[in-house]
Amino acid sequence: MKLLFLGPPGAGKGTQAVRIAGRLNIPHIATGNMLREAVAAGTELGLVAKEVMARGDLVSDDLVIAMLEERIEQPDAERGFILDGFPRTIAQGEALAERMGDSALDGAVYIGVEDDEIVRRISGRRTCPNQHVYHVDDNPPEVFGVCDIDNETLVQREDDAEDVVRNRLRVYREQTEPLVEFYTSRGLRIHPVNGLGDLDEVEAAIVATLDI
Ligand code: ADP
Ligand code: ADP
């Protein structure tokens, strides 16, 4: 299965993409995670991306498209994948269609959550350096401030500060939300999922709508 996860920042795309990718045994491909790894490793891409990401703006289409294309050519992506955080602009959607053909995607899951809840979720988001994600109230680790999986210290992402989140929401509405219309007009099935339940409820809704 080749799936896209769409929805505003903080809606729970990453959390659910990890779960659904695990069920289907396909890779979870998250461009935000890949870019943060590049920043941490200090690669050329990371150096360019760092400040753009800290402001909550989008990294340029050319760079992200090249990074994504290289990733989906890896052998583990042959059977399928979940794309999380890509495409984020119409240009990225067009590049993906050109690369894979219009019929190559099986569907998109759109996780809807309103702005106040997004800000609440993002303010409580804590992540470890290996990109495992928690929430201080709704999905806390067993030991305060420590990742359950690798014992690393949890931190708050720099771009999860409230003023940056407001910019990310603006960028989302202007540049990413139009992809819903883009895919609808191209006949891709979009599965709307109410993101407001708890983590298990949202997962169950995705499993049901995808019939997996
Ligand atoms: P979120 O948790 O808001 O969904 P991500 O982890 O997906 O955030 O992305 C974090 C940041 O990485 C974005 O604000 C943006 O700067 C950059 N980024 C991630 N994916 C893309 C993309 N497809 N195109 C451009 N920039 C991206
Ligand atoms: P995205 O990838 O869309 O930016 P995340 O999966 O990182 O979103 O989730 C954002 C924050 O909200 C994280 O702190 C996560 O633990 C929390 N979260 C995710 N799903 C839910 C949910 N259904 N209810 C409450 N909190 C959630």
Side-chain angles (χ1 to χ4, degrees):
M1 268 224 192
K2 297 190 166 91
L3 297 169
L4 300 181
F5 274 35
L6 298 171
K13 300 181 300 296
T15 300
Q16 296 300 333
V18 166
R19 292 177 174 217
I20 303 299
R23 278 178 181 264
L24 295 172
N25 195 24
I26 53 178
H28 163 221
I29 300 180
T31 45
N33 290 2
M34 295 167 75
L35 289 167
R36 277 185 291 278
E37 279 161 22
V39 170
T43 64
E44 212 174 307
L45 170 64
L47 292 176
V48 178
K50 191 176 181 351
E51 278 171 31
V52 181
M53 292 171 77
R55 287 198 305 270
D57 290 331
L58 295 182
V59 177
S60 80
D61 286 330
D62 291 356
L63 291 175
V64 181
I65 289 166
M67 178 183 81
L68 191 276
E69 288 187 344
E70 192 184 318
R71 179 64 188 88
I72 61 177
E73 277 161 18
Q74 301 300 309
D76 68 337
E78 248 166 51
R79 281 175 307 113
F81 47 72
I82 294 180
L83 295 188
D84 162 17
F86 185 99
R88 240 183 174 92
T89 61
I90 297 285
Q92 292 178 18
E94 280 170 348
L96 186 66
E98 216 168 282
R99 169 57 66 117
M100 298 183 32
D102 261 347
S103 59
L105 293 170
D106 295 296
V109 172
Y110 180 94
I111 305 182
V113 172
E114 38 322 310
D115 285 10
D116 287 351
E117 173 67 5
I118 284 172
V119 173
R120 194 193 69 79
R121 285 191 185 178
I122 291 186
S123 346
R125 171 157 61 187
R126 298 293 181 274
T127 55
C128 94
N130 300 320
Q131 321 261 14
H132 301 122
V133 176
Y134 298 85
H135 188 278
V136 287
D137 300 316
D138 299 337
N139 184 27
E142 273 168 32
V143 178
F144 178 80
V146 179
C147 179
D148 294 340
I149 299 165
D150 50 28
N151 279 328
E152 297 275 2
T153 303
L154 302 181
V155 297
Q156 183 166 34
R157 275 167 46 181
E158 197 183 352
D159 62 339
D160 279 352
E162 185 160 343
D163 55 331
V164 184
V165 172
R166 297 279 170 203
N167 186 43
R168 282 160 59 200
L169 278 172
R170 210 165 27 240
V171 168
Y172 172 77
R173 304 272 176 244
E174 283 168 15
Q175 305 204 47
T176 307
E177 186 92 348
L179 281 164
V180 173
E181 179 53 37
F182 171 85
Y183 280 119
T184 303
S185 69
R186 285 171 173 241
L188 182 73
R189 172 127 187 241
I190 299 185
H191 300 263
V193 169
N194 178 0
L196 283 186
D198 68 26
L199 280 72
D200 291 342
E201 285 166 348
V202 177
E203 181 182 6
I206 296 173
V207 168
T209 186
L210 290 177
D211 198 16
I212 51 173

